[in-house]
Amino acid sequence: MGLTGRSIIGFRDASGTGQIFRGRNPITGESIGPEFFSASMEDVNAAAQLGHDAFVTYGNVSGRDKGKFLRQIAKNIEAIAEEVIERAALETALPKARLQGETARTCGQLRLFAQVVEEGSWVMARLDRADPDRKPAAKPDIRSMLRPLGPAVVFGASNFPLAFSVAGGDTASALAAGNPVIVKGHPAHPGTSELVGRVLRDAVRQCGLPEGVFSLLFDAGNEVGTALVKHQLVKAGGFTGSRTAGKSLMKLAASRPEPIPFFAEMSSTNPVFVLPGALRQNAEKIAAGLHASFTLGAGQFCTKPGMVFVPDGPEASRFTANLQQALNQPVQFHLLTEGIRNAYSAGINARKTHGNLKLIAEMKAANNANCVGAALFETDAQCFLNDPELADEIFGPSTLLVRHSRREEVLEIARGLEGHLTATIHGTEQDLAEFKDLVAILEGKVGRLIFNGFPTGVEVCHAMVHGGPFPATSDSRWTSVGSQAIYRFCRPLCYQGFPDAALPEELRDENPLGIWRMLDGEMTREPVSQSPKLEVAG
């Protein structure tokens, strides 16, 4: 498939008159053809208008037809998987095995959402039957369900060129809920984005859906993304990236004349607590797993463990020695972009000159493009508590060990944490009993608690929560991974007194879709005619 370098606006390509940019090989630093053209404001307006027009139809497409559409996208991506992986490897320096896994994850989550919308119960249908004899006032017939919001803008992520980009989880969940999607492609992997965008557009055509269900806009900078979030026809947004960019977009979404929901998944340092019993029994195993976790993907995961809390003593020294040994291996890491490399280098250099930090181990990097080495730092609990900046994320293959001497210090550290995506506890059953208040504190700090594991590796399933309190995300009530991600892109709508034939199928008496519904306060799949009236005391 030839690349054009032009944005995709519904069923047509943009004219290609905007600022020119190219992809760049992170290993060599060389630019990769072809030229790509930033979208113009006319392109932004056209994509938003097409999305708005398409919403009238697409917002009412059946779950069966949306499922067919999502499955077709997955099928189309798999048909060009080899080409997509080849291009993504050039633009990101990610190994092909990783990209093969990411392709499978992308298609798997599309099919997961297809399953969700085909089954249909996700709409949370509720029916409260009328009671004309109720005194002192008759009760009306009231029914509600979740409905889509309207055109959604999705921002491609730098560190996941497939699973969090053009056809990634944000796009899949927004489309599943019934929203047209406008993707703002990430400039670090434009060729990969165009390849996926074109087969997604093909799926719109193949399924007979209206033009405007999908558009993809390129931009070398921030102008297009800003314009999309501010556009009056855009009704929601999804973002994965840095805290600085996420907070800026959150502010834009909230300051519009009509504010819109904007889900931003941002920075997280993902604390790891190694409790005394676990450190005594499994220090070597935990050290090996920790090293693999914070260097996985060159540390460019939002779930990378960036700070590790261990009880001081001989076991901690052996634990540190194991980590030092692992870091002495001659492994080089290539970061995704020059900007990420510069930020990583600045963060590491700042820590090297910090008076209360000790550099335990560092692998020197080769002097080429975006290559860096892993780094391990250490401090004590009081220094950590006195300097909140030590908890800041460094995006790359580095972590910070914090030694503590008392149980109370651990609890004080936990209470002082900001919001994170994950927290990990390594412990024995006795540790859990002795530190149950630590678990209770962390429940209020994160979206996912891990026991005797590591946070990297986010399973795409119904129960997964990939979210957390601010500043890990803009709203801790939601997740960006797993089937519950669909709830970010919908709202409840109530129908009162409507005749049965005028209601959506999900709310009709006979329940033609056979979905789970709450009928007069009880969950059932039965039609209204077969369900006894629930007596409510009043």
Side-chain angles (χ1 to χ4, degrees):
M1 183 186 297
L3 294 173
T4 68
R6 288 168 168 76
S7 296
I8 296 170
I9 304 173
F11 292 156
R12 70 175 178 86
D13 293 346
S15 58
T17 57
Q19 179 184 349
I20 294 173
F21 68 101
R22 288 172 176 260
R24 188 170 294 275
N25 186 311
I27 297 176
T28 66
E30 297 174 348
S31 63
I32 310 168
E35 294 178 338
F36 285 81
F37 300 88
S38 297
S40 65
M41 289 303 104
E42 289 76 15
D43 295 332
V44 169
N45 290 330
Q49 186 64 56
L50 281 173
H52 173 76
D53 295 342
F55 179 59
V56 176
T57 299
Y58 187 65
N60 291 289
V61 164
S62 70
R64 180 184 60 255
D65 287 340
K66 284 189 293 185
K68 177 183 176 183
F69 173 43
L70 294 168
R71 293 181 191 280
Q72 187 65 53
I73 298 170
K75 182 179 178 181
N76 288 359
I77 292 172
E78 288 170 340
I80 63 162
E82 186 174 341
E83 184 178 3
V84 168
I85 290 167
E86 191 74 31
R87 178 72 190 201
L90 275 177
E91 293 181 325
T92 67
L94 294 172
K96 289 188 178 180
R98 150 75 190 273
L99 293 168
Q100 288 167 348
E102 196 176 325
T103 302
R105 172 176 170 172
T106 302
C107 296
Q109 61 195 11
L110 284 161
R111 293 188 172 104
L112 175 70
F113 284 109
Q115 173 191 344
V116 168
V117 296
E118 288 164 348
E119 192 279 330
S121 299
W122 76 274
V123 298
M124 297 174 62
R126 296 180 174 220
L127 292 73
D128 285 293
R129 286 177 282 189
D131 184 357
D133 298 324
R134 189 183 69 174
K135 303 298 182 184
K139 177 187 175 184
D141 184 277
I142 299 176
R143 308 183 184 205
S144 68
M145 62 180 287
L146 296 176
R147 298 286 296 135
L149 298 171
V153 56
V154 167
F155 287 78
S158 64
N159 59 334
F160 279 90
L162 297 165
F164 277 90
S165 289
V166 175
D170 288 348
T171 296
S173 53
L175 290 173
N179 306 277
V181 169
I182 304 167
V183 174
K184 190 274 187 187
H186 198 285
H189 42 76
T192 307
S193 297
E194 182 179 343
L195 289 172
V196 176
R198 292 195 175 281
V199 297
L200 202 162
R201 179 173 68 180
D202 290 344
V204 177
R205 283 198 179 105
Q206 289 165 325
C207 294
L209 298 172
E211 182 181 16
V213 166
F214 171 76
S215 291
L216 167 64
L217 301 183
F218 292 119
D219 188 17
N222 303 318
E223 184 178 357
V224 169
T226 297
L228 284 168
V229 172
K230 293 171 66 175
H231 202 286
Q232 62 179 352
L233 297 180
V234 170
K235 302 301 180 184
F239 168 87
T240 298
S242 71
R243 184 184 303 192
T244 300
K247 287 176 67 176
S248 176
L249 292 169
M250 285 172 57
K251 185 176 180 179
L252 284 176
S255 63
R256 292 171 31 139
E258 176 199 355
I260 59 171
F262 189 87
F263 185 88
E265 186 228 300
M266 299 175 285
S267 61
S268 180
T269 319
N270 307 296
V272 175
F273 294 84
V274 183
L275 300 184
L279 191 62
R280 285 192 300 269
Q281 294 181 14
N282 297 309
E284 184 175 347
K285 180 179 178 182
I286 296 170
L290 175 64
H291 174 260
S293 186
F294 81 78
T295 60
L296 182 67
Q300 297 170 115
F301 288 112
C302 50
T303 53
K304 183 205 77 174
M307 49 188 175
V308 185
F309 303 95
V310 297
D312 202 0
E315 291 88 357
S317 297
R318 287 194 290 272
F319 178 76
T320 303
N322 287 328
L323 279 174
Q324 286 177 302
Q325 184 178 359
L327 282 171
N328 285 332
Q329 304 303 313
V331 178
Q332 301 294 312
F333 299 97
H334 287 94
L335 300 185
L336 292 159
T337 68
E338 183 179 358
I340 292 173
R341 182 191 185 281
N342 291 342
Y344 178 77
S345 297
I348 295 301
N349 289 334
R351 288 197 167 178
K352 286 179 179 179
T353 59
H354 194 291
N356 292 319
L357 290 182
K358 180 181 179 182
L359 178 64
I360 298 298
E362 181 181 23
M363 179 45 126
K364 297 296 183 182
N367 187 25
N368 66 355
N370 299 324
C371 188
V372 300
L376 175 67
F377 294 88
E378 185 178 76
T379 191
D380 61 56
Q382 287 308 306
C383 291
F384 182 85
L385 287 167
N386 292 333
D387 190 350
E389 291 186 0
L390 293 180
D392 290 350
E393 179 185 44
I394 293 182
F395 197 64
S398 176
T399 198
L400 171 65
L401 294 183
V402 181
R403 294 200 191 197
H404 55 84
S405 58
R406 295 178 293 111
R407 178 179 179 277
E408 290 72 21
E409 282 184 329
V410 178
L411 300 182
E412 186 179 358
I413 286 168
R415 292 189 190 100
L417 292 174
E418 62 183 18
H420 293 276
L421 293 171
T422 75
T424 299
I425 295 174
H426 283 271
T428 63
E429 289 189 16
Q430 183 177 351
D431 284 330
L432 281 184
E434 293 177 358
F435 286 84
K436 62 181 180 181
D437 38 4
L438 173 63
V439 177
I441 293 167
L442 294 176
E443 286 174 345
K445 300 289 184 177
V446 303
R448 178 165 57 114
L449 276 171
I450 300 127
F451 182 64
N452 286 348
F454 293 94
T456 45
V458 181
E459 184 70 25
V460 180
C461 62
H462 297 292
M464 176 52 65
V465 174
H466 189 59
F470 182 85
T473 73
S474 54
D475 194 330
S476 65
R477 293 172 296 175
W478 314 118
T479 174
S480 63
V481 176
S483 61
Q484 294 181 94
I486 196 172
Y487 295 118
R488 298 173 298 165
F489 297 104
C490 55
R491 64 181 179 89
L493 179 63
C494 183
Y495 300 81
Q496 182 171 326
F498 269 63
D500 193 68
L503 289 166
E505 286 188 307
E506 291 89 343
L507 299 178
R508 292 180 187 172
D509 283 351
E510 290 309 301
N511 192 13
L513 302 180
I515 62 174
W516 285 101
R517 310 188 297 182
M518 180 179 283
L519 177 60
D520 294 330
E522 292 193 352
M523 298 304 297
T524 180
R525 277 181 162 160
E526 296 297 328
V528 170
S529 59
Q530 296 180 22
S531 298
K533 186 70 183 256
L534 178 67
E535 296 296 332
V536 180

